[in-house]
Amino acid sequence: MMNLSAITLKMVDFYKGNREDIRHFIKVHAFARTIGMAERLDKRTQDTLEVAAIVHDIACPICREKYGDTNGDHQEAESEALLCPFLEEFNLPKEMEERVIFIVTHHHTYVNVEGRDWQILLEADYLVNADESEKYMKGFDGFREKVFKTATGKRLLASMYPEKMK
């Protein structure tokens, strides 16, 4: 059985008191879980999605140190080296660990998206980012049209931002 609580607790510890980062990943996980369950993902895909949602921003602290920002390209480049040792103790099935690493190292890549797990993480992360940062609202129409594919993600977007829907 997947121990998402242990992964969550380790991620909270990893952020060393950065409550903004902690709140962010908790919210992304909640949206990803909700979308995945509503879209009726199979258990393996749901578990993969939830692990990826919990650890998706693992590179943010090192990116702030190294680059002075949390730019998506920087996060994608730095994530794998952090994820391998982080996930090791959880003994995930090899295919699941590889998929989590792939999704996290592509969670700011919005083209050629393959797999419902990756798709849903993009949607969940955008829902939270749009609420937390005005810069994401500037591209709202583009995200709505190009990124959101699931019925549940579209519903959440419309419910959360009725003023932005045309």
Side-chain angles (χ1 to χ4, degrees), residues 35 106-130 136 139-155 157:
I35 297 168
H106 292 83
H107 83 276
H108 284 280
T109 301
Y110 305 103
V111 295
N112 302 318
V113 176
E114 295 179 12
R116 297 175 78 203
D117 46 7
W118 182 9
Q119 177 62 46
I120 292 169
L121 181 61
L122 294 177
E123 293 177 10
D125 196 31
Y126 182 80
L127 288 169
V128 177
N129 284 333
Y136 285 91
F140 186 91
D141 292 335
F143 269 89
R144 184 185 69 226
E145 298 302 320
K146 294 178 182 142
V147 175
F148 279 77
K149 306 288 184 215
T150 70
T152 308
K154 290 176 182 180
R155 176 181 175 179
L157 189 69

Side-chain angles (χ1 to χ4, degrees), residues 11-138:
M11 199 67 211
V12 170
D13 291 342
F14 177 85
Y15 279 128
K16 297 179 177 144
N18 185 324
R19 292 182 302 280
E20 186 176 316
D21 283 352
I22 294 166
R23 281 190 304 271
H24 177 81
F25 93 79
I26 294 287
K27 290 187 283 186
V28 171
H29 174 251
F31 278 121
R33 178 176 169 76
T34 298
I35 297 168
M37 292 180 82
E39 294 290 320
R40 301 185 183 278
L41 295 183
D42 62 86
K43 180 163 176 32
R44 167 80 112 216
T45 306
Q46 182 74 30
D47 287 347
T48 302
L49 167 64
E50 291 194 46
V51 173
I54 292 166
V55 300
H56 79 282
D57 276 348
I58 195 167
C60 284
I62 197 168
C63 288
R64 285 187 196 101
E65 275 182 38
K66 193 171 180 179
Y67 306 105
D69 63 45
T70 57
N71 177 288
D73 292 339
H74 296 151
Q75 286 184 52
E76 290 183 346
E78 299 290 341
S79 292
E80 186 170 358
L82 296 166
L83 283 168
C84 291
F86 183 93
L87 294 172
E88 188 174 39
E89 75 184 71
F90 301 108
N91 297 312
L92 302 176
K94 183 153 181 59
E95 321 80 59
M96 181 184 289
E97 184 175 322
E98 288 172 354
R99 182 65 178 167
V100 166
I101 291 169
F102 177 83
I103 293 169
V104 173
T105 59
H106 292 83
H107 83 276
H108 284 280
T109 301
Y110 305 103
V111 295
N112 302 318
V113 176
E114 295 179 12
R116 297 175 78 203
D117 46 7
W118 182 9
Q119 177 62 46
I120 292 169
L121 181 61
L122 294 177
E123 293 177 10
D125 196 31
Y126 182 80
L127 288 169
V128 177
N129 284 333
D131 186 53
E132 293 176 347
S133 173
E134 191 60 37
K135 77 177 185 178
Y136 285 91
M137 291 305 289
K138 291 178 182 165

